[in-house]
Amino acid sequence: MTSDHERALAAFPELRRLADLLDAGWLFLPVHDHDGELVEVRGVRAWPGTGIADALMVRYATDAAALRADHTGGVLWQRDGSLADVVDGLLTLPPPEAPGAPRLVRATAPRLWTPRNSARPAR
């Protein structure tokens, strides 16, 4: 039987770029439409003890978005664009407690973060 990850990679070979995030402790969930077709991949990485989490949404190699939010839903960092650009941004984002990590709230994340359906704050 084929796993969700294998189906996702077969449908979108560009997702192999996400392997770097898997190595960094990310968890991923494929999202399917009513016909069972893969329509997006969502990911999350929680930073234990900080109340901070990073989130990722990928619809296609040219349609990806990520953010870092605090426990109140305050957006500390956000990027959207190609999968490669977004993953590069996540991989270079310092851990929450590191010098240079974003700490100022730039916006408030919607209760259910869905970039296509929400207004994106200006960069």
Side-chain angles (χ1 to χ4, degrees), residues 60-65 79-88:
Y60 196 70
T62 57
D63 185 8
R79 179 170 291 176
D80 61 289
S82 72
L83 174 60
D85 288 341
V86 172
V87 170
D88 286 345

Side-chain angles (χ1 to χ4, degrees), residues 15-16 25 31-32 41 53 64 70 72 75 84 88 92-93 107 116 118 121-122:
L15 295 179
R16 293 189 191 284
V31 178
H32 304 278
V41 174
D70 65 16
T72 67
V75 176
D88 286 345
T92 58
L93 189 60
R116 180 176 281 174
S118 65

Side-chain angles (χ1 to χ4, degrees), residues 45-87:
R45 177 183 184 179
W47 294 92
T50 66
I52 293 176
D54 297 336
L56 170 70
M57 181 280 310
V58 179
R59 290 202 173 104
Y60 196 70
T62 57
D63 185 8
L67 63 76
R68 174 173 285 175
D70 65 16
H71 68 283
T72 67
V75 176
L76 305 173
W77 176 90
Q78 186 171 353
R79 179 170 291 176
D80 61 289
S82 72
L83 174 60
D85 288 341
V86 172
V87 170

Side-chain angles (χ1 to χ4, degrees), residues 1 6 12-13 15 25 36 40 58-60 69 89 98-99 108:
M1 179 173 244
E6 291 167 338
F12 300 100
L15 295 179
E40 71 182 43
V58 179
R59 290 202 173 104
Y60 196 70
T108 302

